[in-house]
Amino acid sequence: MISFLRGTVAHVGLSTAVIDLNGAGMSVFATPQTLSHLKVGTEAKLFTSMIVREDSLTLFGFADDDEREVFDVLLSVSGVGPRLALAVLAVHEPEAIRVAAHTGDGKTFTKVPGIGPKVAGRIVLELAGKLVPHGTGSAATVAKAATNAEWKPQVVAAMTSLGWSEKDATGSIDKAMADSPELVEAGNVAQILRATLRWLGQDGARAGNRVGSRG
């Protein structure tokens, strides 16, 4: 595993850079923000993540370890490959991604080219609990923000993106939250979404036998 590269910048392109490591040129994919800080002829250090395929070894470079961590966690989402994960980082700072994942804000991810509501809903669902904001007092701030933003429409939007009708989603949330006042009070969108899906007995699958209105 190559954790980082330190060497002289030999080339900077639109989506890649080449780092000269004592005469060996290593090609690295990176976001436009990261590439903009690289200057040919100067020394640079990039944190890296290696993607291994049957026919290739590809390096992705990041300005810091936090970017790399968010990238690696995004890859754990089904249907999200390295290019799409890099695109998310090209649009949003790591902390913004952490906050969106923590609060279940799917709209943040739909701002990324190539991510529609369905994929955004899956990202929010699968990232729940995996990314936590780093900011000072962020847990309380995020919980308060989720409450003030009226969590229910956000949870309904996430469920409709996964295939439920708005009516079925609303009814399921109400029934699931009837015995979970602590979740309602906290207003954490991701937690409420996961609790509702667990109540449906499927944790993310689309079939829901316990919701009579789905027929």
Side-chain angles (χ1 to χ4, degrees), residues 5-72:
L5 298 177
R6 186 194 299 274
T8 303
V9 179
H11 172 75
V12 179
L14 294 177
S15 60
T16 63
V18 176
I19 307 299
D20 185 344
L21 305 177
N22 296 320
M26 301 290 287
S27 181
V28 184
F29 285 90
T31 65
Q33 296 94 315
T34 297
L35 292 171
S36 68
H37 293 293
L38 302 179
K39 306 298 180 185
V40 174
T42 63
E43 185 178 89
K45 177 181 179 180
L46 292 177
F47 291 85
T48 58
S49 180
M50 178 180 286
I51 305 300
V52 180
R53 297 285 187 262
E54 290 185 1
D55 58 349
S56 66
L57 297 174
T58 307
L59 278 176
F60 291 83
F62 309 94
D64 54 49
D65 195 45
D66 190 35
E67 281 193 356
R68 179 175 61 184
E69 180 183 356
V70 171
F71 175 83
D72 288 339

Side-chain angles (χ1 to χ4, degrees), residues 163-208:
W164 278 274
S165 69
E166 184 174 341
K167 178 181 177 181
D168 289 342
T170 301
S172 299
I173 295 166
D174 290 341
K175 293 175 182 177
M177 291 299 101
D179 298 322
S180 302
E182 70 284 356
L183 290 181
V184 174
E185 183 178 356
N188 186 294
V189 174
Q191 291 180 2
I192 292 172
L193 175 60
R194 288 181 67 84
T196 302
L197 293 175
R198 283 197 298 270
W199 180 85
L200 286 167
Q202 57 197 349
D203 197 20
R206 290 185 57 177

